[in-house]
């Protein structure tokens, strides 16, 4: 598989021919044309110019080259050395800007990085994808998308998350519930307002890398009266201890 630039995308179109000499329509003929022929709403989205994803993939390939041997030597062990190497190389906070300790990757570059890691060590990729995905959610989506009244707070949260990454603290997703899996509609955990924060009550069945995580981000149902503007289910960040 490879990424295909949108400009290269083509689609198949069938066009019915007009009446022939006999007065009967000719069979449909197949045409190949660019899918970019008609403007789409996504065409107006402006994205910053970034370097080729090959550079990101190449850097990660060199770092991950030793992961397979480590996994073979201790297949049932938590990949501590692998995760540490990814933090040291600033791969985990990759989407964050360089001044915050990241590499300024786009989400696409981050996905390529995880795929490259997975080719050498699937377990390492699973654990690393949690905090790396959080870094992408924090920054690569552009902090200016937040409502004006919340932008300063949003930037503060990004800077806080970046400081946790620099300290090599791990984030883990803790969402799945018994009988519900990852279905948001079937979640039973409830978040209730408690002073300046929220208290979550419920039971989760797994958290990949959870034993080594400093923070969990978890889904829970919330009363809109407690959190104006919230949906039925929201994502909460909490310390693991």
């Amino acid at each position: 598989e490879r990424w295909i630039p949108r400009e290269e995308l083509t689609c198949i179109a069938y066009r019915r021919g007009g009446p022939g000499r006999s007065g009967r329509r000719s069979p449909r003929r197949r045409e190949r044309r660019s899918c970019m022929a008609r403007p789409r709403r996504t065409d107006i989205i402006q994205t910053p110019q970034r370097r080729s994803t090959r550079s990101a993939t190449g850097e990660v390939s060199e770092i991950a080259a030793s992961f397979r041997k480590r996994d073979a030597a201790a297949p049932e062990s938590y990949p501590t050395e692998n995760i540490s190497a990814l933090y040291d190389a600033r791969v985990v906070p990759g989407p964050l800007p360089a001044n915050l300790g990241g590499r300024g990757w786009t989400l696409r570059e981050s996905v390529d990085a995880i795929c490259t890691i997975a080719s050498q060590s699937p377990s390492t990729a699973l654990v690393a994808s949690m905090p790396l995905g959080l870094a992408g959610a924090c920054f690569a989506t552009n902090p200016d998308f937040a409502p004006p009244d919340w932008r300063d707070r949003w930037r503060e949260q990004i800077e806080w998350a970046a400081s946790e990454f620099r300290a090599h603290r791990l984030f883990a997703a803790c969402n799945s519930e018994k009988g519900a899996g990852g279905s948001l509609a079937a979640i039973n955990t409830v978040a209730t307002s408690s002073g300046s924060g929220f208290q979550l009550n419920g039971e989760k069945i797994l958290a990949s890398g959870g034993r080594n995580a400093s923070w969990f981000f978890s889904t829970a149902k919330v009363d809109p009266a407690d959190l104006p503007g919230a949906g039925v289910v929201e994502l909460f960040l909490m310390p693991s201890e």
Side-chain angles (χ1 to χ4, degrees):
E1 296 181 0
R2 70 181 183 89
W3 288 97
I4 302 176
R6 291 170 61 244
E7 294 77 8
E8 295 181 12
L9 290 177
T10 59
C11 57
I12 302 299
Y14 289 93
R15 180 174 296 177
R16 174 70 71 177
R21 294 182 179 179
S22 63
R24 301 174 63 181
R25 287 187 175 273
S26 59
R28 294 189 304 173
R29 62 178 183 272
R30 190 171 67 170
E31 297 179 351
R32 184 177 293 275
R33 66 169 184 237
S34 171
C35 287
M36 301 296 291
R38 291 182 298 173
R40 300 171 183 241
R41 184 165 182 79
T42 53
D43 296 337
I44 65 175
I45 297 177
Q46 297 181 356
T47 55
Q49 295 295 320
R50 300 287 186 130
R51 65 187 182 281
S52 169
T53 57
R54 293 180 182 178
S55 60
T57 304
E59 294 169 5
V60 175
S61 294
E62 294 179 4
I63 299 168
S66 61
F67 290 179
R68 188 187 297 272
K69 292 182 179 178
R70 290 176 185 165
D71 283 4
E76 301 299 325
S77 299
Y78 178 81
T80 303
E81 293 183 42
N82 297 352
I83 298 298
S84 180
L86 294 177
Y87 269 107
D88 290 340
R90 297 182 295 125
V91 171
V92 173
L96 294 172
N99 66 315
L100 291 180
R103 288 172 169 264
W105 284 347
T106 62
L107 289 177
R108 171 177 163 179
E109 287 174 319
S110 301
V111 171
D112 284 345
I114 287 296
C115 290
T116 301
I117 295 168
S119 68
Q120 301 297 323
S121 173
S123 59
T124 301
L126 177 61
V127 174
S129 65
M130 305 296 177
L132 198 151
L134 179 62
C138 283
F139 193 81
T141 51
N142 187 341
D144 289 335
F145 88 93
D149 294 343
W150 287 87
R151 286 178 186 172
D152 289 342
R153 178 57 177 156
W154 181 258
R155 291 188 178 94
E156 289 176 3
Q157 292 178 341
I158 292 174
E159 293 175 359
W160 171 82
S163 68
E164 292 295 294
F165 286 131
R166 289 194 296 271
H168 289 201
R169 295 193 177 97
L170 190 67
F171 294 75
C174 185
N175 300 320
S176 299
E177 297 186 6
K178 184 177 181 180
S183 172
L184 295 179
I187 284 177
N188 293 313
T189 300
V190 176
T192 55
S193 180
S194 177
S196 59
F198 285 82
Q199 180 177 348
L200 271 65
N201 296 285
E203 182 179 358
K204 303 295 183 178
I205 59 175
L206 65 89
S208 298
R211 290 184 178 180
N212 298 81
S214 299
W215 296 93
F216 290 145
F217 46 97
S218 181
T219 48
K221 291 181 178 179
V222 60
D223 187 341
D226 290 337
L227 190 62
V232 177
V233 176
E234 289 292 332
L235 193 66
F236 293 85
L237 183 68
M238 70 199 78
S240 58
E241 296 181 355

